Amino acid sequence: MKNGMIVFDSVVHMTDHRAEFRVHDDGKILTQRLRRMHARSPKKAVPINDSFTDGPPDIAWANEVLWDKSDTDFAMAQTIPLFALWRDGVSPARTNHELAQSNPDRFLFCGGVDPLYQGLRGALDEMTRQVEEMGAVSIKFYQAQRPGHAWRADDRKLAYPLYEKAMELGIKLVQFHKGFPLAHAQIEDLHPGDLQLAAYDFPDLKFGVHHLGGVHFDDMIDVAERFPNVYSILSPLFNTYFQQPRRVYEMFGKALYYIGDKRLCYGTDAFVHPNVQLYIDVLSTIQIPEDLQEGYGYPELTDEGRARILGLNFAEALGVELSVEGDKRTWRRA
Amino acid sequence: MTESTDDRTWQEAEQALSSIRRRLGGHGGDVTIADVQDGTVHVTFHAACEHCPAQALTYVSAVRETLLQVPGVKEVRAPQVRDSRFALDRIASMLELTPFNRPVQTP
């Protein structure tokens, strides 16, 4: 808890960049890009887990990072089904499930499938396995893995059966990596525009967009503003606060203005930066500067909005209830 | 303020809003009263008004100003309008409309 607010980290990963599992050289590009990106962090203020590309995080260490060294109450361990570059994806379902099982009262497991690499039938079967046998409460999609290998979220033959299966399995929220190309994936294949028809055709399903749409930020804002079942996962916005505070104010202010505080969700993409408390501290104190309120009309962040973004919105999107009593944390499907 | 007073205010506010609603309808939008509590009218924008860039202007210059003329209405709230207090104050000031945070009129 942070200042009486429940902290629910919407996305942590058990990433595994090891070469023996890599199936395409583009994986090296992704690993190197991540290393370069994180090398830009001010290391003194934001310590980096230097070994984050060497192998999956140690499970005991991951628990310590979240529960002992930060105010995090709950976290979702998310699969990255990037089968084009790594045999089991760069954050395999198996290892994320292991992490979730290490503290099932506080971790929630998010599965992940891909209808191009597994085939639609394989993806549907794997979704069923991940939900029924592994307890997944959400599913993550990566639509663009390599140049020429991409699928659209509004593809009636390929994508809609995934949503129908998700709803049949009781899933309330499906999630999409958007806007941040991995290795040589094409930027246009990660545009959020394809969520419009999907969100319109599946009004009872919620669609989570990660990374604020990345380079498609403005278009993502427009989509989320108009479709009430589209949620924006903020990670890694606050991770960049220490390098680019002004940019964070501008993006966060714009998201608050157009989307509102009821569909924005806190997340860290841990465990690259193991000090997640930094981001909790940022979000629990950040305010939109008055010159942005004056010049752009961006609203103040209220205490209620802060609590919603730190944890309540994501729980609501997933359809789960969170309970904090003393030192005990539990969650259950609503 | 009693419930019956709020009910009467609600009825009169509905009547006052009817001309505004016709104008908004011309743009494919609409606004309705969601609640009246202790003289504060809560309104909801619909259809084209929901995501219109001119929503704040419509709220301040047309909806709020019209409803503030109704006896018993102290303030008008629109939760969908997320503009900062600076922006709302500026609109009211530039159009010489009722300022926000004005002193409460006691009967």
Side-chain angles (χ1 to χ4, degrees):
Chain A
M1 298 279 280
K2 176 70 176 179
N3 300 338
M5 298 178 285
I6 293 178
V7 179
F8 187 175
D9 191 334
S10 58
V11 51
V12 303
H13 293 300
M14 291 289 280
T15 50
D16 189 349
H17 288 251
R18 284 179 292 180
E20 55 263 44
F21 300 114
R22 199 164 56 219
V23 293
H24 194 282
D25 280 349
D26 274 6
K28 282 187 200 169
I29 305 290
L30 171 59
T31 302
Q32 288 162 1
R33 187 179 176 203
L34 284 171
R35 280 191 175 282
R36 278 200 306 274
M37 187 173 79
H38 294 296
R40 288 199 291 265
S41 299
K43 293 182 181 58
K44 198 169 178 183
V46 192
I48 294 176
N49 169 19
D50 285 327
S51 61
F52 81 94
T53 56
D54 296 345
D58 176 76
I59 284 182
W61 175 81
N63 275 273
E64 185 184 324
V65 163
L66 290 171
W67 320 132
D68 299 340
K69 295 186 174 176
S70 89
D71 292 323
T72 306
D73 296 297
F74 302 93
M76 173 161 271
Q78 294 216 2
T79 302
I80 302 180
L82 200 61
F83 302 123
L85 308 184
W86 277 269
R87 195 183 66 198
D88 297 329
V90 73
S91 180
R94 173 179 41 79
T95 50
N96 282 282
H97 179 245
E98 282 172 12
L99 178 65
Q101 286 299 105
S102 71
N103 199 333
D105 285 342
R106 303 182 77 160
F107 278 116
L108 293 84
F109 171 60
C110 175
V113 300
D114 188 88
L116 287 185
Y117 283 85
Q118 295 169 309
L120 178 58
R121 192 168 141 193
L124 295 174
D125 287 348
E126 178 62 4
M127 278 176 70
T128 303
R129 184 182 79 89
Q130 291 178 355
V131 171
E132 294 184 349
E133 296 180 21
M134 303 169 86
V137 293
S138 182
I139 297 289
K140 182 84 171 280
F141 302 118
Y142 283 66
Q143 299 163 267
Q145 309 209 355
R146 285 180 52 210
H149 291 71
W151 55 278
R152 288 182 58 90
D154 57 4
D155 187 318
R156 287 192 164 91
K157 291 183 177 171
L158 199 64
Y160 281 21
L162 299 171
Y163 311 146
E164 288 161 358
K165 174 59 76 176
M167 294 179 74
E168 179 190 317
L169 292 168
I171 286 176
K172 311 293 183 192
L173 173 79
V174 290
Q175 303 180 62
F176 292 82
H177 173 94
K178 285 290 190 185
F180 176 63
L182 301 173
H184 288 138
Q186 290 161 272
I187 288 173
E188 59 270 31
D189 288 334
L190 292 163
H191 191 277
D194 58 353
L195 292 176
Q196 296 169 99
L197 192 57
Y200 185 77
D201 283 342
F202 290 85
D204 295 328
L205 188 62
K206 295 183 172 67
F207 295 79
V209 185
H210 283 251
H211 314 309
L212 282 160
V215 294
H216 305 298
F217 172 66
D218 286 336
D219 289 352
M220 190 285 299
I221 291 278
D222 187 82
V223 170
E225 182 195 7
R226 291 179 295 113
F227 293 88
N229 51 338
V230 173
Y231 284 65
S232 181
I233 316 293
L234 295 171
S235 174
L237 180 66
F238 299 114
N239 306 38
T240 63
Y241 178 81
F242 301 93
Q243 298 107 293
Q244 300 177 299
R246 185 69 183 177
R247 176 175 168 272
V248 169
Y249 290 136
E250 290 177 352
M251 292 178 75
F252 190 40
K254 190 166 191 173
L256 278 174
Y257 183 62
Y258 287 104
I259 303 174
D261 59 22
K262 295 184 175 62
R263 288 183 286 128
L264 303 179
C265 307
Y266 161 77
T268 65
D269 272 308
F271 297 94
V272 176
H273 296 117
N275 190 350
V276 297
Q277 184 63 30
L278 286 171
Y279 315 129
I280 296 170
D281 291 341
V282 169
L283 181 51
S284 64
T285 56
I286 194 171
Q287 188 50 272
I288 306 303
E290 285 203 352
D291 71 305
L292 291 179
Q293 294 187 40
E294 164 71 36
Y296 289 95
Y298 293 166
E300 282 183 313
L301 177 59
T302 63
D303 290 343
E304 183 191 348
R306 208 181 293 279
R308 293 192 65 89
I309 295 168
L310 260 174
L312 304 180
N313 288 343
F314 195 57
E316 186 179 284
L318 290 167
V320 301
E321 291 177 356
L322 311 176
S323 170
V324 177
E325 291 178 17
D327 291 337
K328 184 156 180 65
R329 277 104 175 106
T330 54
W331 64 273
R332 67 180 182 87
R333 292 172 198 267
Chain B
M1 192 170 285
T2 63
E3 189 177 330
S4 60
T5 306
D6 278 341
D7 288 347
R8 192 164 56 249
T9 302
W10 192 319
Q11 282 183 355
E12 293 181 18
E14 289 277 15
Q15 287 176 0
L17 209 55
S18 61
S19 63
I20 305 285
R21 295 183 65 187
R22 279 197 295 276
R23 285 159 57 193
L24 299 187
H27 290 246
D30 198 2
V31 63
T32 57
I33 296 173
D35 198 9
V36 178
Q37 282 195 352
D38 297 330
T40 297
V41 181
H42 300 262
V43 299
T44 305
F45 286 101
H46 303 280
C49 287
E50 277 188 72
H51 308 295
C52 177
Q55 188 192 60
L57 188 65
T58 303
Y59 160 60
V60 178
S61 68
V63 176
R64 177 174 181 267
E65 198 62 19
T66 298
L67 291 178
L68 284 176
Q69 309 310 314
V70 174
V73 174
K74 297 175 187 170
E75 190 47 276
V76 180
R77 303 276 183 222
Q80 293 154 297
V81 176
R82 291 188 282 267
D83 294 69
S84 67
R85 59 191 166 92
F86 298 95
L88 298 178
D89 283 341
R90 183 164 53 239
I91 294 171
S93 169
M94 291 178 76
L95 299 178
E96 299 182 351
L97 302 172
T98 310
F100 284 82
N101 301 317
R102 68 207 162 109
V104 176
Q105 302 290 320
T106 51

